[in-house]
Every structure is written in C-alpha cells, then in structure tokens.
Amino acid sequence: MSKARARHQCQECGHVASRWSGQCPECGAWNSLVEQIGGGGRAASARGGYAGGVTAGGVTGSVVVAAENVDLAAEPAQATGLAELDRVLGGGLVPGAVVLLGGDPGIGKSTLLLQALAQVIARGGSGLYVTGEESLGQVVSRADRLGLARGGLRLLAETQVEAIVAHAAREQPKAQAEVVAKAKVLVIDSVQTMHTELLGSAPGGVAQVRESAAQLVRFAKATGTSLLLVGHVTKEGALAGPRVLEHMVDTVLYFESENSSRFRLIRAVKNRFGAANEMGIFAMTERGLRGVGNPSAIFLSRSGVNSPGSVVTVTREGTRPLMLEVQALVDQSNLGNPRRLAVGTDQNRLAMLLAVLHRHGGITAHDQDVFVNVVGGVRVSETAADLAIVVAAVSSLRDRALTSATVVFGELGLAGEVRPVPSGEERLREAVKHGFDTAIAPRANVPKRPIAGLRIVPVDTLAEALEQL
Ligand code: TYD
Ligand code: MG
C-alpha cells in the first residue's frame, strides 16, 4: 500500500487524518483514530454488478454537458401518498435521492417507512425493505397490524452491505420504461446495523456506518433508486456519526415527539429538494401513523381559561402557519445570578429580549428568574415569536392574563421597534380560523383590506404594544 493511501478516521466525529495520533485534531477525543482502507481503494465497491456508474471510453462514464441542455423535468419528485411526509420531503421522493430519517428508538421510524413503502407500491412503484434489526416475521406482523397489503412488498433480512447492493440490483425492474416511470424505493432499517466486508472494524462504528452508507448512496445514484436510511439518535440527540452521514445524503429528517405525547413531528433539517425548516405532523394510533391536517388545533391549549404568562402566537414552520402557546414564568429569584431558561426557543435570544424589555419597556427582570416554554414540544426558530415571548413575560410578572382570544406576533429589534415578519396576512387568517378575534401585530403586517372577524392592533414599538395590553 502506498504511503498516500494510509488514513486514520476518528470513530467519534469521522475526521480523517493522514497520520495516527493519540487525540483527534478535530473533536479532541482520545484514542479514537482507527486505520482505514485507503482512499484509492474505492474500486472494490463497484463489484455490485448493477448497470450504473458505467465506465465508457476507458476512463470514466461522466460527460460534460451544456447547462442549457439539462432537462429539469427528468427527475420529478414522486409523492409517497403520505401527505405529511411528502411535505417535509419537498413534494415526494426524487429518484436517486438519499434520505436519512433520524429519531429515538420506538418513535415510529420503521412504522412510518413501512407505511410509506406500502403507499409507493400501491401507486405502482417497487419497494425493498431491508431489516438489520428485526426478523422478517416481526416486519410482516407489523405490516399486518397496520392493515397494509403485503402484495408487492419485498423484504430482506441482511446487514452486509455488499449483499444488500447485489440483491437490490437484482430486484431492479428490467424494462427500460418501468425504470423511468415508477418509483423505486430501498429502505435500510437501520444504517447503524450495516457493515461492509471492506473494513475489519466492528459494525456500528463510524467507519462502518460511513462506508456502508457510501456504498448504498452510490447504488442509489447509479440506479435512480430513492434510498431511505433509518438512523438512531444517540442520547446526546445526534445521529451516531452525524457529520459523516449528514453531508452524504440529500435530505435529513428528524422524527421526534414530546414525552408521552402521541403526536410525532417530522422535520427537515437539511433538504436539497425543498424547504429546510418544513414540518410534518403525525399522530400515532393503534393502526399506525395518521397525518394531522390541522396542526394548530392540537397545539393550542384546550382549557379555554387564559392564565397569566400564557400568550398565543402564530409561527410559520416551513410553508404553513402554526399557532402555538408561549408560556413564561417570571418569579422572584434568590440567586445572585437569576436564571433564564428557554425550552423550545433560543436561550440567548431570551436574554436579549429581556434586555430590550428593560431598556425600551421600562420593565426590569434583573432580580427575577425567567422561564419560557413553547407548549407542545415544538421548537420555534423564528423571530416572529419575539413579541409573544416578551408579552408572556410581562403578563406573568404582572400576574395579569390576556383576554383569551388575542394572538401576538412580531420581531423585536434592539431599538425597541416591532418589525414586520414574512406572511403576516396568512398568520392573521390562521388566527381567525381558530376563533381569535384580536391580534397585536407589526404595523407593516396589517393587510390593506380588513379581515372579517379580526380586530388588528398595529404596533410600531414595544412600548406601544405594552400600552395596548
Ligand atoms: P417503531 O416503528 O418500531 O419505532 P422505531 O422504528 O422508530 O424504533 O414503532 C414502535 C412504537 O410504535 C411501539 O412502541 C408501538 C407503537 N406503535 C403503535 O402505537 N401503533 C402501531 O400501529 C404500531 C405499528 C406501532
Ligand atoms: Mg425500528
């Protein structure tokens, strides 16, 4: 082996170093570098026997094309038929696209993909489900429990990736017309159980997961198969070997849930084919996962009694508005350094908002502990919730509740100004739809034509908003 080929990969973060050292230069982990097969040893994986990756003319099968000759219609997304999944995928599965679905064990990843596969097959596509964790019997009994038709569903219990690629290649439709027109889906459940004969290290390690995924990705790209990889999330909330997998795939979806809730959120954290912050919502039932078409309804408190510190806002997750309840608890602190704790929203932003509240609202919280929680286990990354967070804090501090049919949204600037947010009118309409009759909103977001049933209180500054309350 030539010197240039030697490489060592960190089992913690996936960093590749040309020389071994006791500590990973990237993540600082000790004794984590393991010698790998050389970077030039890739030819081994072309043994799969599938027709893709053809080498013509002796050197390579790739060709340079003029940009104007690239046909955009060639790779349309094909809907799986599970609307909430299609939403986060950006319309559906794209041929050759690789999707990584992460989530805690037991959240419903296998259930979701089995349901998706059944839909794809029902629509005339083909699907191969590879299980590395469960027996064929377990997979089939789940399918039966879900009431899915078994017809057309192909199963494989295997963890060795070379064997999987060989089987999957044999399963490819032979007729050229079929190859183009029908969705072909390969599910790997899970990628962490996969191993390749190219490496001697134990399955589950970063190197094995990475190399196995790489071979599957090459197969997907070469054959136009949509590849769905299940990935387990570690205790720290990251996919095992996160960096090595996330950059290899086209789409990363996270499947998550609040403790003990039957609702499941699926969220795109990376998507080459759609919006990255898109969110789909399912409910887990006895008959599997059911899409939730009207998510605002489930996140709003059902009690009807408004309590101090509780404010409803309208966020926009991906392409649709979502109504959420923001709660704040502001309480006398006996610590020299009072606590600021934010669940479901950014902690640093909370500190900033409290500073704005002090400077421009004349309300100080320096001797108060401030806790903010977004109800329903949703994470709000938008600044449109700023005003609601501040209003919730003031409401808790003053121990005065808002009238229950009021929504609040708007971004807060450091100068105490209330800034407009995208899609203001759409948010207002969502509020009316859910029975709200008053909205405190940035002036620039007030639509020219009034919205029936909604009184809009336009505000330019935080001081104005507080006055209106
Ligand atoms: P599963 O898809 O096996 O989770 P994962 O693959 O992410 O580990 O789902 C497991 C849980 O879902 C299990 O606790 C039982 C529950 N479940 C239902 O509530 N209803 C159903 O129809 C199915 C199939 C599972
Ligand atoms: Mg599973």
Side-chain angles (χ1 to χ4, degrees):
M1 194 185 248
S2 77
K3 210 175 167 202
R5 280 190 181 183
R7 54 179 221 160
H8 297 81
Q9 187 171 35
C10 173
Q11 299 294 292
E12 298 292 329
C13 72
H15 175 76
V16 177
S18 57
R19 285 172 43 191
W20 186 88
S21 63
Q23 186 181 25
C24 172
E26 181 70 21
C27 70
W30 288 96
N31 291 324
S32 63
L33 293 185
V34 173
E35 186 169 358
Q36 304 297 317
I37 49 153
R42 280 294 158 72
S45 61
R47 275 181 292 165
Y50 52 90
V54 222
T55 54
V59 190
T60 167
S62 58
V63 279
V64 175
V65 295
E68 65 230 39
N69 292 341
V70 176
D71 184 7
L72 271 186
E75 299 206 330
Q78 289 167 333
T80 63
L82 293 181
E84 295 297 301
L85 178 62
D86 289 336
R87 175 194 299 285
V88 285
L89 287 172
L93 290 168
V94 174
V98 182
V99 178
L100 176 63
L101 175 66
D104 288 320
I107 195 92
K109 301 180 294 296
S110 304
T111 305
L112 180 69
L113 295 186
L114 203 55
Q115 285 183 245
L117 217 45
Q119 290 276 351
V120 166
I121 292 164
R123 291 164 169 244
S126 64
L128 175 61
Y129 185 101
V130 179
T131 169
E133 289 177 1
E134 296 170 309
S135 67
L136 294 179
Q138 282 171 306
V139 175
V140 167
S141 75
R142 180 186 286 117
D144 287 349
R145 197 146 28 93
L146 293 168
L148 303 174
R150 289 200 215 163
L153 179 60
R154 309 282 288 166
L155 301 173
L156 174 65
E158 179 61 80
T159 55
Q160 208 228 23
V161 74
E162 284 81 6
I164 292 170
V165 166
H167 281 297
R170 244 174 274 138
E171 295 279 318
Q172 292 286 315
K174 299 287 179 292
Q176 194 57 35
E178 244 184 297
V179 173
V180 185
K182 307 282 190 216
K184 290 175 291 181
V185 182
L186 174 61
V187 172
I188 303 291
D189 190 358
S190 67
V191 70
Q192 276 116 333
T193 58
M194 296 298 137
H195 61 94
T196 163
E197 60 179 18
L198 296 179
L199 298 176
S201 56
V206 168
Q208 282 284 3
V209 171
R210 194 199 105 98
E211 190 54 36
S212 300
Q215 289 192 36
L216 292 164
V217 169
R218 283 195 291 272
F219 171 78
K221 301 287 175 205
T223 59
T225 302
S226 302
L227 174 63
L228 297 170
L229 300 171
V230 170
H232 291 296
V233 168
T234 62
K235 283 185 285 310
E236 294 78 35
L239 286 167
R243 294 189 215 160
V244 293
L245 286 187
E246 289 192 356
H247 81 264
M248 284 165 55
V249 303
D250 300 302
T251 303
V252 179
L253 304 179
Y254 272 92
F255 207 26
E256 57 198 21
S257 152
E258 201 192 4
N259 289 344
S260 75
S261 159
R262 68 191 184 95
F263 294 107
R264 303 280 185 271
L265 308 180
I266 185 165
R267 164 194 308 279
V269 293
K270 163 184 172 180
N271 195 354
R272 286 191 186 137
F273 307 108
N277 55 348
E278 194 63 82
M279 187 166 84
I281 302 170
F282 289 95
M284 181 61 96
T285 69
E286 322 72 60
R287 305 226 35 208
L289 292 157
R290 264 209 358 258
V292 175
N294 182 2
S296 290
I298 65 169
F299 289 116
L300 291 179
S301 146
R302 304 274 80 196
S303 66
V305 197
N306 233 32
S307 39
S310 163
V311 172
V312 174
T313 189
V314 197
T315 65
R316 205 162 170 284
E317 289 288 333
T319 54
R320 67 178 158 186
L322 179 64
M323 305 202 65
L324 289 174
E325 186 182 336
V326 176
Q327 293 185 331
L329 179 65
V330 180
D331 199 21
Q332 191 72 45
S333 176
N334 44 28
L335 300 172
N337 207 350
R339 278 176 290 188
R340 269 89 181 90
L341 187 73
V343 178
T345 175
D346 184 47
Q347 191 114 345
N348 292 329
R349 190 143 189 107
L350 172 62
M352 192 193 92
L353 294 175
L354 292 174
V356 173
L357 178 63
H358 179 219
R359 180 67 176 270
H360 301 284
I363 296 173
T364 173
H366 72 264
D367 54 352
Q368 309 280 328
D369 288 328
V370 180
F371 305 95
V372 169
N373 177 37
V374 179
V375 177
V378 183
R379 239 203 110 67
V380 178
S381 41
E382 262 205 328
T383 53
D386 285 356
L387 194 56
I389 292 171
V390 171
V391 168
V394 174
S395 161
S396 172
L397 187 68
R398 299 258 188 272
D399 201 24
R400 300 245 317 260
L402 262 73
T403 56
S404 60
T406 303
V407 301
V408 179
F409 67 85
E411 177 179 330
L412 262 187
L414 286 179
E417 80 278 22
V418 175
R419 298 168 159 273
V421 297
S423 314
E425 182 164 353
E426 199 188 338
R427 294 177 205 251
L428 294 166
R429 293 200 179 280
E430 180 78 0
V432 180
K433 209 166 85 189
H434 290 89
F436 287 79
D437 59 18
T438 309
I440 298 178
R443 186 177 299 280
N445 280 132
V446 177
K448 290 197 184 65
R449 274 189 289 157
I451 296 176
L454 188 69
R455 185 172 72 93
I456 303 172
V457 182
V459 290
D460 287 310
T461 64
L462 174 62
E464 238 178 276
L466 295 177
E467 214 170 279
Q468 292 293 339
L469 296 164

